[in-house]
Amino acid sequence: TITYTEKIFPVKNIPILKLAKQEEKENMAEIIQEKLNWFKIDNEMERIALAIEGENSPSFQTVTEYAKAICDGMREPIALGHPLIIITWHDMAKALGQSIFGHLPANYPLICLDSVKVDNGDYIDIGKPVADGKVLPVVVKTLVFN
């Protein structure tokens, strides 16, 4: 499932900030804020995609808690107008994305997708929607060093 705003595509070479499952349970907003410092170059925030495992069949309350924590944690990139890109492993992106919309300014650029396996150090490209907007082409890139 996916949630997105139309005028955001394509996005290319976006680094992944992946939270560990335990980090989703405890002070998620604070942990996101701390880890965002990894993506500052000369004190300027890089655009990033936030990846979480999420939950299988989450309750409405759980989805709203995730949405609030993500938006609180991503306050700095949101204030800079960076697109909010959220990737979950479990099937919850549509509900999560719709809940996140409630915490964002009107027409704020958002992509929320699921069932994509990523990790820290990966980069993601997301193409324009296809199949009448029901599918997003995604490329995950992992750097390999010799």
Side-chain angles (χ1 to χ4, degrees), residues 91-143:
D91 182 15
M92 63 183 283
K94 189 165 194 85
L96 180 61
Q98 290 172 349
S99 186
I100 287 172
F101 274 135
H103 297 278
L104 296 174
N107 301 315
Y108 194 86
L110 169 71
I111 301 172
C112 192
L113 54 99
D114 59 34
S115 303
V116 177
K117 188 86 165 160
V118 293
D119 209 342
N120 286 308
D122 290 346
Y123 289 77
I124 194 164
D125 295 347
I126 307 170
K128 292 180 180 182
V130 296
D132 294 324
K134 295 177 183 165
V135 177
L136 293 177
V138 174
V139 175
V140 177
K141 300 181 275 191
T142 302
L143 299 176

Side-chain angles (χ1 to χ4, degrees), residues 63-74:
V63 171
T64 57
E65 288 169 359
Y66 268 95
K68 182 173 179 359
I70 288 168
C71 289
D72 287 349
M74 297 292 285

